[in-house]
Amino acid sequence: MKFGMRVRGGLFAALIMSVAPVVAPLGSVFVSVPAAAQTAQSIVVEGNRRVEADTIRSYFKPGPGGRLDQAAIDDGLKALIETGLFQDVRITRPGGRIVVSVVENAVIGRIAFEGNKKVKDEQLSGEIQSKPRGTFSRPLVQSDALRIAEIYRRSGRYDVHVTPEIIEQPNNRVDLIFTIEEGPKTGVKSIEFVGNQAFSDYRLKDVIKTHESNLLSFLGNNDVYDPDRVEADRDLIRRFYLKHGFADVQVVAALSEYDPQRKGFLVTFKIEEGQQYRVGSVEFQSSIPNFDANFLRGYSRVNVGSVYNVESLEKSVEEMQIEASRRGFAFAVVRPRGERNFDAHTVSVVFAIDDGPRTYIERINIRGNTRTRDYVIRREFDISEGDAYNRALVDRAERRLKNLDYFKSVKIIPEPGSSSDRVILNVDLEEKSTGDFSVSGGYSTTDGALAEVSISERNLLGRGLFAKASVTYGQYARGYSLSFVEPYLFDYRIALGLDLYQRQQLANSYISYGTKTMGFSPRLGFQLREDLSLQLRYSIYKQELMLPYNLQNCNNDPTSPFFNPTPAYAAANGLSLASTNGLGCYSDGEASLPVRRELASGKTLTSSVGYSLSYNTLDNNKNPTDGLLVDFRQDFAGLGGDVSYLKSAVDAKYYTPLVSDIVGLIHLQGGILNKIGNTELRMLDHFQMGPNLVRGFAPNGIGPRDMNPYGTMDAVGGTKYWGASFELQMPFWFLPREVGLKGAVYADAGGLYDYQGPTTWAFTNEVTTPANSGCITPTNNPATPGTCTGLVYDDSRAVRSSVGVGLIWASPFGPLRFDYAVPLSKGKFDRVQEFRFGGGTSF
């Protein structure tokens, strides 16, 4: 950063030069003759234009007797200089008089900025101290130039040049122009780690927020050098090591060096790891009478033999302290102690429960919430005014407020109250925008091209409500949805959600039919624990099936103008089908029986209730490397409507780090559909599986399928499925981590079977009697092979399996995944799709 000052205008420049020998630095003072005793009113003022003489005299305060002594004159001089109104103040005593000669600072007429493209004028004006119609001060202008440079430095532009320019105007006025050469962004060219043995550079780069510059850096700003971010990264690295058992870790330094050749910063983190520790023992001690510390064992997340984890220790302390408060020990304080065994590399953990100071909350002050209502903030607290002060509950409230994502910053600062046993909590907030408007697009081998326009608000009307409206239009999928969520129903921590939607799935190369669904679903959400949640829901929707005419044009009514017989009808009635090679209405294809039967049923109403139970211990929901995610769902249909069933499904994913940044993933899933009463199961209610169960197969490519070779051979689904997958995800070590590419190798196995939908259809125009339903015996004529009016389907229980490789890209355009899988075993009529792609973006 570089700056200077230029002056435009001869007279003003000459004035500055003329006073320079006298007032070498700005504001120096000379007193040529000691002053005799004078009154303040006898002072003669010279050189003033805007400032009244009496105003100048008022800075000279007489001593006893109303006379000015030398001390009073010195004090007056200092006071005049400190006003910033004058370039120079001189006191002389010609002929015994006190003469105060002043040179007034010019008045700033206007302030302008030139050359700034990345930072708006309004932001710069708010940062500088010089103001229009204010007094011009050279030191202040130089300070403003530094402030402007600092703004650019914070945004990563370290090569900025700021030059203040002064344009003289009449009547001792000046215009102040800041000419700015912004320069390019100063990026981080390399990030290195020194002293790390347990974790690779690649793994640690995934922990910190600062990224290295790359070809896609223009889409973000994490590669821009920010010293505050680098300092925060030190703490992130330290927390990461503490989480993995390195209790003695120290991030000694974060060194940043500018490289003029590469025009960027080189950042180096120096780490002293120490040894990894495991938990040797866990004990509980209480100094509170009638308090049995052992009841807190169930709230400990620290287990003997496990890796020492400071994060688990802190969560245990918080939950224990909250539970003690619930049991009536409001002032109980849980303090963990750890005793290291350096030889065995273990830590003996002791949770000591003591009686803390009896302090009460006098008041909770909420500041900075310009939009969010106070009650939206206060309901995140489990304590209120008058309650016992509990630091664990305060920390939980702060974490909840941050998780709302309504604020840029959240800080809860305690301060002493009106007495020694009172504390005041100040909640300092900074609001941020909570509305989103997005246009997104994507493509997958299943749904084709897809576009979505959505608008959402996370903090509607400042009341903490969520609302979203979206419209989707794609090659094979279209629809809209409206969603609304009230996170605190009746002021309880229960979330109420309402969804209204309409979806249309068009026929494609995987299914011969389309569906149109319109429904409404209210739901209730309960956060049972930090890692356990429950959702209750009700769904009511109307669904209809759509089918091209040529796939539903069989007509066995000879009196109809649309008479188009099936081979079965023709054989039973001695009709010739020579013109269609013996295929009749099957010559142009025909949908499977369950599909045509579903079409004839018209619109179907489904009314169901259900629940989901989710257990989540993932370390990162977007890019997990460790933890377990289990989701169990059940839905019961039959509360009115046209169908009834019980559908159950479970999905479990377990991630674990292996070696050299390789992450293992075990994925298990299964489901069952049970018939209730005498109501027949619809084909559309069956499970349909493909690459979502075993990769390498087409959508709807697995399981029971219509075997009519002259029909569409639709997949009819199954009532039972299971799947198991093992996957290894690994980075490409030869690429910068910031590129976001990972590779995967995997093996999948699974099965779908036990179709229980319709297999016959006593429909007058298609099957008139049981005698002509079923399959017609093939003849010697190859043109008239066996065809079926009843459903004959393959329901093999063969295990489907595959192996494959994948490419996972956390791109700036959104998550993308490419898979190539080769089936090892399959059913006779399964459909294969070895390559699969899916992804999307917002722009």
Side-chain angles (χ1 to χ4, degrees):
M1 193 279 297
K2 171 176 117 175
F3 62 85
M5 182 179 290
R6 294 198 295 268
V7 179
R8 301 178 186 173
L11 181 59
F12 189 76
L15 176 60
I16 293 178
M17 293 178 63
S18 67
V19 300
V22 180
V23 287
L26 184 63
S28 61
V29 180
F30 289 82
V31 181
S32 59
V33 179
Q38 299 282 343
T39 64
Q41 293 301 318
S42 66
I43 295 175
V44 178
V45 179
E46 296 178 349
N48 58 312
R49 296 185 181 183
R50 298 185 313 276
V51 183
E52 296 290 337
D54 286 341
T55 301
I56 295 174
R57 294 188 186 106
S58 66
Y59 285 90
F60 295 88
K61 306 297 183 182
R67 298 291 180 174
L68 292 174
D69 56 17
Q70 188 62 45
I73 294 175
D74 291 342
D75 292 340
L77 289 172
K78 292 177 182 178
L80 283 174
I81 293 170
E82 289 173 355
T83 64
L85 298 173
F86 308 101
Q87 292 184 41
D88 181 35
V89 180
R90 289 183 297 165
I91 296 180
T92 59
R93 190 174 175 353
R97 299 179 303 159
I98 297 177
V99 178
V100 179
S101 300
V102 297
V103 178
E104 293 182 350
N105 275 323
V107 174
I108 299 174
R110 69 183 182 95
I111 298 176
F113 304 93
E114 296 180 356
N116 56 311
K117 297 179 181 178
K118 302 301 181 181
V119 183
K120 295 182 179 180
D121 288 3
E122 293 79 7
Q123 182 179 351
L124 295 175
S125 298
E127 290 285 342
I128 64 175
Q129 293 181 332
S130 298
K131 302 296 180 183
R133 295 181 298 278
T135 302
F136 171 79
S137 170
R138 295 176 70 88
L140 197 59
V141 170
Q142 298 289 12
S143 174
D144 289 338
L146 287 172
R147 287 175 179 271
I148 294 172
E150 178 62 20
I151 294 172
Y152 278 91
R153 189 183 71 84
R154 289 201 302 265
S155 64
R157 298 180 185 273
Y158 280 78
D159 199 27
V160 62
H161 293 183
V162 182
T163 305
E165 300 185 39
I166 304 162
I167 302 176
E168 181 186 355
Q169 300 293 348
N171 299 320
N172 199 29
R173 304 179 75 85
V174 295
D175 290 342
L176 180 57
I177 312 295
F178 290 97
T179 302
I180 304 168
E181 297 177 22
E182 295 181 321
K185 278 191 174 183
T186 309
V188 176
K189 297 302 181 182
S190 75
I191 300 175
E192 296 181 357
F193 301 88
V194 177
N196 54 313
Q197 301 295 327
F199 301 100
S200 67
D201 288 10
Y202 194 96
R203 182 69 182 94
L204 293 178
K205 287 180 182 179
D206 198 41
V207 174
I208 62 178
K209 300 296 184 182
T210 303
H211 295 169
E212 292 177 348
S213 299
N214 57 70
L215 293 176
L216 301 177
S217 295
F218 68 94
L219 297 170
N221 63 356
N222 282 353
D223 69 307
V224 176
Y225 176 72
D226 184 344
D228 294 334
R229 185 191 293 147
V230 171
E231 191 61 28
D233 286 338
R234 289 183 64 182
D235 188 60
L236 290 176
I237 295 171
R238 176 179 166 274
R239 297 283 301 179
F240 175 77
Y241 271 93
L242 290 174
K243 182 180 176 181
H244 289 84
F246 293 85
D248 300 323
V249 66
Q250 292 185 30
V251 183
V252 179
L255 305 177
S256 301
E257 180 183 0
Y258 181 76
D259 187 340
Q261 293 184 344
R262 301 176 66 178
K263 294 185 178 180
F265 280 88
L266 313 179
V267 179
T268 303
F269 294 95
K270 292 187 176 182
I271 304 170
E272 293 181 1
E273 291 182 332
Q275 296 294 326
Q276 187 182 46
Y277 291 85
R278 291 186 173 271
V279 178
S281 62
V282 180
E283 297 181 5
F284 296 81
Q285 298 176 358
S286 173
S287 64
I288 304 175
N290 302 321
F291 186 98
D292 183 6
N294 287 316
F295 83 83
L296 295 178
R297 287 187 179 274
Y299 298 90
S300 173
R301 301 189 181 193
V302 181
N303 300 313
V304 176
S306 63
V307 173
Y308 179 70
N309 186 334
V310 170
E311 189 174 289
S312 297
L313 188 73
E314 292 172 348
K315 290 181 179 179
S316 300
V317 169
E318 180 180 297
E319 292 182 5
M320 291 177 188
Q321 196 157 317
I322 291 172
E323 181 60 24
S325 179
R326 288 173 180 165
R327 298 198 177 204
F329 298 90
F331 301 101
V333 177
V334 181
R335 296 185 175 93
R337 297 196 308 267
E339 297 179 1
R340 296 177 177 83
N341 185 324
F342 296 101
D343 296 328
H345 298 152
T346 60
V347 177
S348 298
V349 178
V350 177
F351 292 100
I353 300 94
D354 301 318
D355 208 355
R358 295 184 173 273
T359 307
Y360 298 88
I361 298 174
E362 179 177 341
R363 191 168 64 253
I364 299 177
N365 297 325
I366 300 176
R367 305 181 298 205
N369 54 320
T370 56
R371 181 167 176 264
T372 305
R373 310 292 179 93
D374 273 16
Y375 73 86
V376 173
I377 298 163
R378 291 182 183 275
R379 68 190 183 188
E380 300 299 330
F381 286 79
D382 290 329
I383 50 177
S384 58
E385 284 93 342
D387 289 347
Y389 175 72
N390 188 317
R391 186 65 214 182
L393 292 175
V394 173
D395 291 341
R396 172 181 283 190
E398 183 171 341
R399 187 169 63 250
R400 286 174 175 172
L401 288 172
K402 290 178 179 178
N403 291 338
L404 289 176
D405 200 25
Y406 299 164
F407 311 103
K408 288 183 181 179
S409 64
V410 177
K411 291 182 180 179
I412 301 180
I413 304 171
E415 66 177 35
S418 58
S419 60
S420 59
D421 62 344
R422 296 290 186 269
V423 66
I424 297 173
L425 297 180
N426 293 318
V427 185
D428 292 324
L429 308 166
E430 184 180 357
E431 300 264 13
K432 73 176 183 179
S433 174
T434 55
D436 291 303
F437 174 79
S438 70
V439 180
S440 60
Y443 179 83
S444 74
T445 48
T446 303
D447 298 323
L450 191 70
E452 180 185 78
V453 178
S454 66
I455 183 171
S456 64
E457 172 57 62
R458 302 191 304 276
N459 188 14
L460 185 64
L461 303 176
R463 298 177 182 271
L465 307 174
F466 173 84
K468 180 178 180 179
S470 65
V471 177
T472 302
Y473 191 88
Q475 194 172 355
Y476 302 121
R478 297 161 190 176
Y480 65 84
S481 66
L482 301 173
S483 298
F484 174 84
V485 177
E486 164 57 83
Y488 278 80
L489 183 64
F490 304 127
D491 290 329
Y492 290 98
R493 201 175 292 277
I494 300 173
L496 168 67
L498 303 174
D499 298 300
L500 177 67
Y501 58 90
Q502 188 270 329
R503 294 192 296 263
Q504 184 176 0
Q505 180 70 45
L506 304 182
N508 53 53
S509 58
Y510 306 112
I511 54 174
S512 65
Y513 55 90
T515 57
K516 187 175 182 179
T517 307
M518 177 175 288
F520 172 70
S521 177
R523 63 186 189 277
L524 294 174
F526 304 84
Q527 192 69 38
L528 305 180
R529 290 189 334 202
E530 188 173 355
D531 55 4
L532 187 65
S533 61
L534 172 69
Q535 184 190 87
L536 306 179
R537 59 183 171 272
Y538 171 75
S539 298
I540 182 168
Y541 60 91
K542 184 169 288 188
Q543 190 174 44
E544 63 177 314
L545 187 143
M546 301 173 293
L547 195 63
Y549 176 74
N550 67 294
L551 299 182
Q552 52 168 318
N553 61 355
C554 287
N555 189 320
N556 288 335
D557 183 1
T559 64
S560 170
F562 303 105
F563 177 59
N564 191 12
T566 63
Y569 182 89
N573 293 278
L575 300 179
S576 172
L577 297 178
S579 61
T580 59
N581 295 323
L583 299 179
C585 61
Y586 291 152
S587 62
D588 57 356
E590 193 74 3
S592 300
L593 181 145
V595 176
R596 288 178 281 127
R597 182 166 173 178
E598 192 73 44
L599 179 71
S601 300
K603 298 179 179 179
T604 302
L605 183 67
T606 300
S607 175
S608 68
V609 293
Y611 70 92
S612 296
L613 191 63
S614 296
Y615 177 74
N616 186 347
T617 63
L618 297 181
D619 59 344
N620 186 314
N621 288 329
K622 290 185 178 180
N623 185 25
T625 61
D626 192 13
L628 178 65
L629 175 62
V630 181
D631 183 57
F632 179 73
R633 302 167 56 92
Q634 276 196 313
D635 289 280
F636 168 73
L639 299 178
D642 304 318
V643 298
S644 61
Y645 59 76
L646 176 64
K647 183 179 286 189
S648 307
V650 63
D651 189 285
K653 294 180 180 179
Y654 175 67
Y655 295 84
T656 182
L658 300 176
V659 294
S660 299
D661 304 319
I662 298 176
V663 176
L665 165 62
I666 298 175
H667 183 192
L668 303 176
Q669 53 182 317
I672 185 170
L673 175 66
N674 297 108
K675 180 180 177 181
I676 297 178
N678 297 320
T679 305
E680 193 173 45
L681 292 174
R682 299 190 310 156
M683 179 205 69
L684 291 179
D685 292 328
H686 282 62
F687 297 112
Q688 296 283 1
M689 292 292 163
N692 55 329
L693 188 68
V694 181
R695 284 163 286 196
F697 290 85
N700 293 11
I702 293 175
R705 184 176 299 276
D706 179 10
M707 296 196 309
N708 179 3
Y710 294 95
T712 54
M713 297 188 70
D714 291 298
V716 294
T719 59
K720 300 178 180 68
Y721 76 91
W722 66 272
S725 173
F726 178 71
E727 178 170 307
L728 294 176
Q729 297 179 359
M730 63 207 71
F732 294 109
W733 292 277
F734 55 88
L735 292 176
R737 187 198 63 83
E738 290 74 18
V739 175
L741 279 173
K742 292 192 298 185
V745 295
Y746 50 82
D748 296 343
L752 173 68
Y753 51 88
D754 199 12
Y755 171 75
Q756 294 185 18
T759 56
T760 60
W761 188 18
F763 182 49
T764 303
N765 285 344
E766 183 159 343
V767 182
T768 54
T769 66
N772 59 23
S773 64
C775 294
I776 303 301
T777 304
T779 66
N780 293 328
N781 182 356
T784 58
T787 55
C788 306
T789 54
L791 176 67
V792 177
Y793 58 94
D794 173 63
D795 196 1
S796 169
R797 299 200 175 201
V799 174
R800 282 77 172 181
S801 63
S802 68
V803 293
V805 295
L807 182 65
I808 306 167
W809 186 21
S811 76
F813 311 103
L816 303 175
R817 176 153 183 157
F818 305 82
D819 281 296
Y820 181 79
V822 178
L824 301 180
S825 60
K826 63 186 183 71
K828 183 178 180 181
F829 295 94
D830 288 344
R831 296 185 178 179
V832 173
Q833 183 189 69
E834 295 179 342
F835 177 76
R836 185 168 181 252
F837 162 75
T841 183
S842 295
F843 46 87

